[in-house]
Amino acid sequence: MPQDPADRLLTIPNALSVLRLLGVPLFLYLLLGPRADGWAVVVLVAAGLSDWLDGKIARWLDQTSRLGTLLDPAADRLYILATLIAFVVRDIVPWWLVALLVGREVLVGACLPVLRARGYGPFDVNYLGKAATFNLLYAFPMLLLAQGTSTAARIALPIACAFMAWGAALYLWSGALYVYQFTLAVRRRPGVAPV
């Protein structure tokens, strides 16, 4: 019996996602160890490019897989979480902002076992969540650039803050939409197919 293409493990997009995941500890080390912000930005930009590239390749070569649909958002979330933790440790962003964003992740994550128990899969990634991730991943290198005292740092600070504010707002809004979808699924009678 031929293998379902969605069950493939060894694909180029999956390899890119695994490489992106392996970059998270390096990224954290660069931010918190030697505080090599320039190299940390290089790792973050490479992660962003590989995120874009793995989606393009998956569609172009028809290599979309179930594993890929799990790895890709997991890598995004890990970069966001790692960056936020490092930024709180270095006093770049306020702790309460990180608490809100991590709280959103915990709340949405707590919904998943209940959905599985009712026969649903994980939430589909929505464009609002993608826009939030884009804004946050754009804000992070700008926030690092804004840490200096140069003219570039002074220019980068308001831009970084704007992207951070938009990203955080969209991230929380997408979390509210996931909770709304969860509520609809839980209220649905057992045996009714999910929409």
Side-chain angles (χ1 to χ4, degrees), residues 15-194:
L16 287 172
S17 291
V18 168
L19 284 174
R20 198 160 74 249
L21 282 167
L22 292 174
V24 172
L26 173 62
F27 177 69
L28 263 177
Y29 167 74
L30 291 169
L31 280 178
L32 297 176
R35 293 191 178 198
D37 293 350
W39 286 111
V41 168
V42 169
V43 172
L44 192 60
V45 168
L49 287 174
S50 73
D51 184 26
W52 172 81
L53 191 59
D54 74 12
K56 285 286 186 195
I57 290 173
R59 288 184 290 280
W60 182 49
L61 298 178
D62 193 28
Q63 291 189 348
T64 303
S65 67
R66 286 186 187 91
L67 179 62
T69 61
L70 296 174
L71 285 176
D72 187 53
D76 291 344
R77 285 186 176 94
L78 275 176
Y79 269 101
I80 289 171
L81 182 62
T83 306
L84 291 173
I85 289 169
F87 280 7
V88 166
V89 169
R90 289 187 50 186
D91 204 26
I92 295 173
V93 296
W95 68 266
W96 57 264
L97 177 62
V98 174
L100 278 173
L101 298 178
V102 171
R104 178 257 195 211
E105 280 301 309
V106 169
L107 180 61
V108 170
C111 296
L112 295 177
V114 177
L115 287 176
R116 278 194 200 100
R118 295 184 64 88
Y120 296 99
F123 296 109
D124 288 334
V125 176
N126 60 42
Y127 286 106
L128 193 60
K130 286 180 180 281
T133 301
F134 170 81
N135 276 279
L136 289 173
L137 291 178
Y138 197 87
F140 295 156
M142 297 290 285
L143 283 167
L144 285 173
L145 177 61
Q147 295 311 297
T149 56
S150 67
T151 302
R154 288 195 303 273
I155 293 170
L157 184 60
I159 297 168
C161 290
F163 273 103
M164 189 69 190
W166 273 107
L170 291 173
Y171 207 65
L172 294 172
W173 188 9
S174 68
L177 289 177
Y178 287 137
V179 170
Y180 176 71
Q181 289 174 343
F182 169 78
T183 303
L184 292 178
V186 168
R187 287 184 179 170
R188 187 171 285 125
R189 289 190 329 262
V192 175

